[in-house]
Amino acid sequence: MKATYHKHILEFKRPSGTSRGVLKTKETWFIIIENANKKGIGECGILRTLSIDDRPDYEEKLKWTCDNINLGEEKLWKELIEYPSIQFGVEMAFRSLESTSPYELFPSDFTRGKESIPINGLIWMGGKAFMKQQITDKLKEGFDCIKMKIGAIDFERELELLTYIRSQFSKETIELRVDANGAFMPEEALDKLKKMHLFDLHSIEQPIKQGQLQAMNAICKQTPFPIALDEELIGVFDVTEKEELLQIVQPQYIILKPSLIGGFKGTQEWITLAEKMNIGWWITSALESNIGLNAIAQYTYTLNNKMPQGLGTGGLYTNNYESPLTVRSGRLLYDTRLNWEVSLMN
């Protein structure tokens, strides 16, 4: 068995704004495993400035992983505990290698094209006109759950946008989630949440920066609508530490990005703990290519979570890999009439 790694720069169709800046490109890496004339592919979806494994030795660790691929999936996962995106790439590549098709990692009614996954439509930050246009487009595309990035433009302007959405669509028509990416200061967060509560929001992701557990706990206790932890989960490797974090903060939801928290295994650890504490959860991609998105979507379907998931990012890029993943009427489906086109696998 041998393994190689490859870098790919994904290019956004248009610059996409978050509270951490505007994204024009997205770096990603692939691990290819070969054994007995079979190949498996896994994506190491690093997000610079956000991933805990955004380190100078990242490529060096990828090389080490490929050089030591014969250690096997389980030992490598443990060795790579501080590199969650590589953990996920390794899990994905081994499952791909062992599957009948390198792209059908979790055979199900989803991969057979019989069932689909409800997803939220993502609204990127920008000017008021741009954000309004995105909202209009998503509604035309049949989404009934919208996730809106906030925190990059003036808060009063964001309230105006929420006013506009709710003037057009009730909470029965559109479920509205917002993601602050840690943009609020702890002392102002509750006041802002009270103002936003007027718009019948489903939840808000990460209102304040991660690492302020007591402040986050106070907000979760007093919030007028649910809080979902996102960045807070990044870099928490030990199961005991994960349990302690949830016990301290007591959030209403957690949001799971496999590339940032150790792949399938890391995600399952969080789900087990959350369900034990009656904390809700959903899964979100982290701007992976269609290869990573495919693995996350197939895994997510097996978990039978009926909430809209955050899996609609495959159409963001000009140079993504062609795949059967298709979004229709606010749902992600696997169109078995379409083929994969991945040059790395030829």
Side-chain angles (χ1 to χ4, degrees):
M1 185 160 57
K2 68 173 185 175
T4 53
Y5 69 91
H6 308 267
K7 185 178 183 178
H8 184 62
I9 302 297
L10 293 158
E11 298 174 357
F12 281 86
K13 290 176 180 176
R14 66 173 297 157
S16 299
T18 74
S19 60
R20 287 183 293 272
V22 176
L23 302 173
K24 296 181 180 178
T25 60
K26 158 70 171 67
E27 163 194 350
T28 199
W29 301 78
F30 297 100
I31 290 178
I32 309 291
I33 304 178
E34 297 183 53
N35 189 32
N37 296 319
K38 283 192 73 181
K39 288 184 180 181
I41 186 168
E43 180 169 0
C44 305
I46 189 170
L47 272 176
R48 295 295 181 184
T49 75
L50 180 60
S51 297
I52 196 70
D53 45 8
D54 178 11
R55 295 163 45 156
D57 66 344
Y58 188 82
E59 185 173 356
E60 185 181 319
K61 202 66 180 180
L62 276 170
K63 183 179 185 305
W64 178 89
T65 301
C66 291
D67 290 344
N68 291 275
I69 201 68
N70 285 299
L71 287 174
E73 180 183 344
E74 191 172 332
K75 285 185 178 178
L76 283 172
W77 197 92
K78 290 176 181 176
E79 290 286 338
L80 293 164
I81 193 70
E82 293 183 8
Y83 298 82
S85 65
I86 305 180
Q87 283 180 315
F88 190 31
V90 166
E91 282 183 323
M92 206 186 305
F94 271 99
R95 187 168 279 269
S96 171
L97 181 70
E98 293 158 5
S99 298
T100 305
S101 159
Y103 306 111
E104 191 175 14
L105 279 62
F106 296 88
S108 68
D109 280 346
F110 175 72
T111 59
R112 287 186 279 273
K114 295 180 179 179
E115 295 288 343
S116 57
I117 302 170
I119 61 174
N120 60 241
L122 183 60
I123 304 299
W124 291 92
M125 290 174 175
K128 188 174 179 181
F130 171 58
M131 293 184 79
K132 274 189 176 181
Q133 185 58 53
Q134 291 182 84
I135 292 164
T136 302
D137 291 344
K138 292 298 178 190
L139 297 175
K140 284 180 181 175
E141 291 166 16
F143 285 91
D144 55 16
C145 177
I146 286 177
K147 172 180 165 179
M148 178 175 145
K149 296 274 188 179
I150 63 171
I153 61 177
D154 179 72
F155 182 66
E156 294 304 319
R157 287 170 64 202
E158 290 173 338
L159 292 180
E160 286 177 22
L161 280 166
L162 292 171
T163 302
Y164 161 74
I165 296 169
R166 279 294 176 239
S167 71
Q168 303 295 310
F169 305 96
S170 69
K171 66 177 181 180
E172 287 76 26
T173 307
I174 291 292
E175 179 179 288
L176 191 56
R177 302 171 175 176
V178 293
D179 182 2
N181 286 129
F184 300 162
M185 298 300 292
E187 59 272 17
E188 67 181 11
L190 272 174
D191 182 56
K192 288 188 171 182
L193 293 179
K194 287 173 184 175
K195 290 179 179 178
M196 297 171 75
H197 182 49
L198 299 173
F199 304 104
D200 295 312
L201 303 182
H202 171 271
S203 57
I204 181 169
E205 296 181 33
Q206 205 68 44
I208 65 174
K209 282 189 170 65
Q210 68 265 45
Q212 305 174 86
L213 300 188
Q214 296 301 335
M216 188 69 91
N217 169 257
I219 294 168
C220 288
K221 279 183 177 176
Q222 300 174 67
T223 182
F225 63 97
I227 305 290
L229 301 187
D230 182 359
E231 288 93 338
E232 203 74 69
L233 312 185
I234 298 170
V236 185
F237 304 127
D238 183 76
V239 176
T240 304
E241 291 175 8
K242 292 177 181 180
E243 186 170 24
E244 185 179 355
L245 184 150
L246 294 180
Q247 286 172 340
I248 292 171
V249 178
Q250 298 177 38
Q252 285 77 26
Y253 292 103
I254 58 173
I255 295 169
L256 304 160
K257 293 184 170 81
S259 289
L260 303 184
I261 57 170
F264 305 129
K265 185 177 178 182
T267 299
Q268 190 57 57
E269 287 177 350
W270 281 112
I271 289 173
T272 300
L273 292 169
E275 291 185 341
K276 189 168 72 171
M277 299 182 205
N278 293 315
I279 296 168
W281 57 270
W282 68 87
I283 291 181
T284 300
S285 54
L287 304 179
E288 295 87 358
S289 77
N290 279 332
I291 292 169
L293 177 61
N294 174 60
I296 296 168
Q298 291 186 27
Y299 168 67
T300 300
Y301 178 79
T302 68
L303 301 174
N304 200 31
N305 184 326
K306 302 302 183 185
M307 294 177 68
Q309 308 293 305
L311 303 176
T313 55
L316 291 174
Y317 306 115
T318 61
N319 60 338
N320 208 339
Y321 295 103
E322 292 295 321
S323 83
L325 295 173
T326 308
V327 177
R328 287 187 204 143
S329 301
R331 302 181 75 91
L332 183 69
L333 59 93
Y334 196 91
D335 190 335
T336 55
R337 297 169 298 178
L338 301 177
N339 296 317
W340 281 92
E341 291 184 19
V342 182
S343 55
L344 290 166
M345 295 293 281
N346 295 335

